Amino acid sequence: MLFPYQIKSEEAYHQAYKQSIENPPAFWSAIAEHFTWKKKWDDVLTWNFSEPNVQWFKGAQLNITENLLDRHLPTKAHSPAIIWEPNDPEEHHRVITYQKLYEKVCQFAHVLNNNGIKKGDRVCIYMGMIPELAIAVLACARIGAIHSVVFGGFSAQSIADRLYDAQAEYIVTCDGAYRGQKDIPLKSVIDDALIGNRTVKKVIVCTRTRTPVSMLKGRDVWWEDELKKVETLGLHDFPAVAMDAEDPLFILYTSGSTGKPKGVVHTVAGYMLYTHYSFINVFQYQPEQIHFCTADIGWITGHSYIIYGPLSAGATTLIFEGVPTWPDAGRFWEIVDKYRVDILYTAPTAIRSLMGFGLGPLHGKSLASLKVLGTVGEPINEEAWHWYNEQVGKKRCPIVDTWWQTETGGILISNLAGITPSKPSWATLPLPGVQPILVDEKGEEILGNNVSGNLCIKTPWPSVLRTTYGDHERCRTNYFATYPNLYFTGDGAMRDENGFYRITGRVDDVLNVSGHRIGTAEVENAINMHAGVVESAVVGYPHDIKGQGIYAFVIYSGAHGDETLSRKDILTTVTRIIGAIAKPDKIQFVSVLPKTRSGKIMRRILRKIAEGETENIGDTSTLLDPSVVEEIKRGKL
Ligand code: WTA
């Protein structure tokens, strides 16, 4: 059997779970034996959550790309590794076999090497959803450079902050990217991000949109020109650089409750093992299947379940450049039929948005190839779950509701497709190796069933974040200090009589807008940059499609007095500072914000108002001036 550790029955799940908890080193090393190592480990696991210091497979050496590519060549050289569906359905799609992908990754590894990039260097990747993005990621991994992919929707300012934080010296980008009817000038955004930057030495630019770009002599080079040099020399292989198990593989920035995104660091061996294990078990991947994850590679879902998980299993992964609603809202279904997709993994927000178009876009689509459906990124409401089950899965496909985070690297709580039971809007049970617990405000464990609390994890799984780049203390205080000796997820959860978990959402100041994490403090910082803004407070409110919308209360002293224009100015500012994804859905101008005597904004009250609550605003007695609540309520949008 190809994957002897694939769980094939509910009983086997319980057995694997028990083994994984009783003896984690024995459990994970047995799986690790199936991978290619340059040197085996001395120790499977050493850890403490107080520093934190977690080390899996200490002493081992490997290269993750040998496990994703070289390892499959004897049997899969001619099988498709990547299928690429372009934004424009009229353009030709591409199929890249494992042999071809291996060669392309090796060639681009030469390009990186020729441009002075070495093991440990940070490479910022800012590209659209084209195969070259995956190739750039894997080429970094091949030479041991640390990739930091930045989602194409982030602004120049956001890129500049990330470049600075990671002290990145290299960038790989494109001239532009297509997304629906839009043409995003990526290189020009990079140029803006680099104004005043003194650390970046090289920018490699891949051609996609043929948007005119300015290429700076000595700094900017074309991907294609660099590749030609390598091809002329007839180079097809690049020896995989030996990495320590705990060497960083990548940095991925994510929002927290402070104003500044954190660079979450994942390391080679644990991340490889866990994305592989979770991929084949949650989705019940079978050889030859086609896996379509609709996320962007700029987010963790794309890292783990477009690139690393599927390729580690020798699967065919589908990369889609465009958006679900262009040229029409049937695009996903068309792609499913065109390539006979087996596994479809998407976000509740996409499902809700497609539901809004009715059944028309599904007419004439067979969807008969689908075997497993998945969701990720936010709680799925029952209505969307049933629509997905009935209209897309035709009631024949198990749905996996996968709960996890950028920091967890892979799926931690989910049913296993067709193996363990599902329950609409419940992520259900932890994967082997994962020990969730619920705690109260004081950190006391909440025992028993039919309870709710703050979700923590007790012990390390292989792909737990190791640090936040350049600031280990921040990692400790953010994740490991709220409740001593526990990893705190920032989510609240319920546990039912079967021990199933339902994630109820963030309990910190982080919003989840269309499945994207956005810190309220970050949005406030951006709004406050606008010259006319005195102060602002941002909260989330329930939004039919996005899950959560962004509601901003703003004290404004702008001179021109035109509220509509002022709102637009603020939106433009947020787009410039963070990116369009962080634009508030509603901006209410207020003359004061509800504050305590010590000057702290009482967001709890603003949240209630934004949610449309008029009666039960809660205790306002600690407010400096309780009458402000009435004023703000009157102005609600
Ligand atoms: C939320 C995305 C409910 C949660 C992989 C978490 C979910 C945050 C689910 C992480 C789910 C993710 N049900 N909520 N199945 N999956 N979340 O880092 O609040 O972008 O903390 O990782 O998304 O978002 P991130």
Side-chain angles (χ1 to χ4, degrees):
M1 193 166 50
L2 191 52
F3 308 118
Y5 40 86
Q6 192 174 44
I7 295 165
K8 301 307 299 173
S9 68
E10 197 174 349
E11 194 194 347
Y13 159 76
H14 289 291
Q15 207 177 356
Y17 188 78
K18 189 163 174 278
Q19 286 167 355
S20 75
I21 301 307
E22 283 172 0
N23 192 344
F27 181 81
W28 290 109
S29 61
I31 296 164
E33 291 290 348
H34 295 269
F35 287 79
T36 304
W37 301 85
K38 288 181 187 289
K39 175 176 173 285
K40 288 275 176 77
W41 49 93
D42 304 319
D43 238 332
V44 180
L45 172 64
T46 50
W47 71 284
N48 70 68
F49 271 174
S50 53
E51 293 178 54
N53 180 0
V54 177
Q55 298 187 46
W56 282 95
F57 304 99
K58 200 156 89 183
Q61 289 201 323
L62 74 160
N63 186 291
I64 195 167
T65 67
E66 279 192 328
N67 285 283
L68 268 55
L69 301 171
D70 313 43
R71 185 162 74 107
H72 300 312
L73 291 186
T75 52
K76 292 192 172 282
H78 304 295
S79 309
I82 293 176
I83 294 176
W84 177 70
E85 168 72 7
N87 181 57
D88 182 348
E90 303 288 308
E91 190 182 336
H92 274 301
H93 71 275
R94 288 165 65 184
V95 177
I96 302 175
T97 61
Y98 270 90
Q99 178 68 37
K100 268 277 164 245
L101 184 60
Y102 166 83
E103 286 171 17
K104 283 172 183 291
V105 168
C106 286
Q107 288 177 326
F108 198 62
H110 277 288
V111 169
L112 296 176
N113 191 47
N114 291 345
N115 279 277
I117 305 172
K118 325 171 288 301
K119 180 176 172 186
D121 288 344
R122 277 81 52 221
V123 180
C124 169
I125 302 179
Y126 186 67
M127 301 172 80
M129 287 284 283
I130 55 175
E132 283 67 24
L133 167 49
I135 292 165
V137 161
L138 294 170
C140 284
R142 187 98 181 156
I143 70 169
I146 303 168
H147 58 78
S148 169
V149 183
V150 176
F151 172 60
F154 279 114
S155 68
Q157 182 64 51
S158 294
I159 299 167
D161 293 345
R162 286 157 172 74
L163 287 171
Y164 177 77
D165 190 84
Q167 289 294 299
E169 294 176 321
Y170 304 94
I171 297 177
V172 185
T173 188
C174 295
D175 48 358
Y178 295 124
R179 270 179 72 77
Q181 277 168 300
K182 287 197 208 124
D183 178 346
I184 304 150
L186 297 178
K187 172 62 166 61
S188 136
V189 179
I190 288 290
D191 289 338
D192 287 347
L194 289 180
I195 295 171
N197 177 297
R198 288 172 189 280
T199 45
V200 170
K201 295 181 187 156
K202 275 273 151 70
V203 180
I204 302 176
V205 186
C206 182
T207 307
R208 171 63 184 130
T209 55
R210 302 200 170 271
T211 310
V213 295
S214 103
M215 297 290 283
L216 216 65
K217 201 174 286 168
R219 188 194 70 185
D220 301 349
V221 294
W222 287 108
W223 173 302
E224 294 77 12
D225 292 347
E226 295 302 296
L227 200 60
K228 243 181 238 128
K229 295 180 196 164
V230 172
E231 283 168 351
T232 315
L233 294 172
L235 298 170
H236 295 294
D237 302 292
F238 188 100
V241 169
M243 305 284 284
D244 286 342
E246 284 295 335
D247 275 338
L249 174 64
F250 66 85
I251 305 172
L252 186 57
Y253 284 86
T254 189
S255 293
S257 42
T258 60
K260 199 170 150 257
K262 300 176 288 252
V264 168
V265 174
H266 284 289
T267 55
V268 181
Y271 179 81
M272 171 182 81
L273 214 63
Y274 197 79
T275 50
H276 173 86
Y277 183 78
S278 52
F279 174 73
I280 64 141
N281 279 304
V282 171
F283 301 104
Q284 288 291 306
Y285 167 75
Q286 301 302 317
E288 319 293 318
Q289 285 189 339
I290 295 174
H291 175 76
F292 178 21
C293 166
T294 70
D296 192 287
I297 292 172
W299 308 108
I300 191 68
T301 305
H303 281 59
S304 301
Y305 300 109
I306 295 180
I307 300 185
Y308 288 106
L311 295 179
S312 74
T316 301
T317 186
L318 200 153
I319 298 180
F320 172 42
E321 185 183 35
V323 297
T325 49
W326 192 81
D328 60 53
R331 192 69 195 274
F332 277 180
W333 324 131
E334 220 168 270
I335 295 174
V336 167
D337 280 358
K338 180 170 172 186
Y339 302 106
R340 305 200 49 76
V341 166
D342 297 275
I343 308 169
L344 175 67
Y345 189 31
T346 193
T349 187
I351 298 168
R352 288 193 298 265
S353 135
L354 294 175
M355 270 170 74
F357 289 87
L359 296 180
L362 282 152
H363 281 158
K365 309 289 187 326
S366 129
L367 306 184
S369 59
L370 288 173
K371 317 247 167 2
V372 171
L373 303 176
T375 69
V376 58
E378 50 176 321
I380 180 162
N381 48 311
E382 289 202 28
E383 194 192 353
W385 195 96
H386 287 295
W387 189 87
Y388 200 29
N389 182 38
E390 285 155 29
Q391 305 304 335
V392 182
K394 318 283 185 201
K395 297 193 189 164
R396 339 170 253 101
C397 304
I399 298 178
V400 288
D401 178 350
T402 67
W403 173 83
W404 58 296
Q405 309 177 298
T406 305
E407 295 84 347
T408 72
I411 298 163
L412 293 198
I413 304 182
S414 173
N415 50 315
L416 310 181
I419 302 291
T420 59
S422 65
K423 179 172 173 181
S425 86
W426 289 69
T428 74
L429 294 169
L431 263 66
V434 176
Q435 293 195 68
I437 73 165
L438 298 177
V439 299
D440 63 19
E441 298 291 305
K442 291 192 210 85
E444 297 290 330
E445 178 164 3
I446 301 170
L447 296 165
N449 289 336
N450 294 316
V451 290
S452 62
N454 291 345
L455 179 65
C456 293
I457 315 285
K458 250 186 198 169
T459 55
W461 60 100
S463 60
V464 58
L465 87 160
R466 301 303 199 267
T467 189
T468 47
Y469 193 79
D471 193 350
H472 193 63
E473 178 57 14
R474 197 161 171 221
C475 172
R476 192 186 70 81
T477 49
N478 258 289
Y479 304 106
F480 298 93
T482 316
Y483 305 112
N485 296 317
L486 294 175
Y487 166 79
F488 177 42
T489 63
D491 281 324
M494 289 155 48
R495 186 170 52 223
D496 76 0
E497 62 282 1
N498 299 311
F500 289 4
Y501 288 87
R502 173 187 196 150
I503 314 304
T504 46
R506 304 288 304 193
V507 295
D508 53 8
D509 288 323
V510 173
L511 305 180
N512 194 325
V513 181
S514 301
H516 300 152
R517 269 166 74 168
I518 298 169
T520 53
E522 254 179 277
V523 183
E524 287 166 9
N525 286 349
I527 294 174
N528 296 348
M529 301 278 275
H530 185 66
V533 171
V534 179
E535 198 178 4
S536 65
V538 165
V539 296
Y541 71 97
H543 187 289
D544 284 350
I545 295 196
K546 298 179 173 184
Q548 266 189 314
I550 305 180
Y551 197 119
F553 297 89
V554 176
I555 304 179
Y556 192 72
S557 72
H560 53 62
D562 177 337
E563 284 210 353
T564 310
L565 190 57
S566 305
R567 284 199 180 89
K568 284 189 183 154
D569 287 350
I570 292 174
L571 295 180
T572 307
T573 311
V574 173
T575 305
R576 185 159 290 265
I577 304 296
I578 307 176
I581 51 169
K583 279 199 301 199
D585 299 276
K586 293 183 179 179
I587 299 176
Q588 178 181 345
F589 292 116
V590 296
S591 62
V592 275
L593 289 168
K595 287 191 180 170
T596 60
R597 284 180 192 86
S598 60
K600 222 175 138 245
I601 297 172
M602 286 190 76
R603 283 160 206 289
R604 173 172 57 79
I605 291 175
L606 293 175
R607 223 173 279 134
K608 290 269 183 193
I609 296 174
E611 283 166 6
E613 183 67 64
T614 49
E615 301 304 316
N616 301 317
I617 295 290
D619 182 15
T620 56
S621 62
T622 54
L623 282 180
L624 183 62
D625 175 8
S627 72
V628 305
V629 173
E630 286 312 310
E631 184 208 308
I632 298 175
K633 263 172 37 182
R634 276 196 301 277
K636 180 174 180 298
L637 301 171

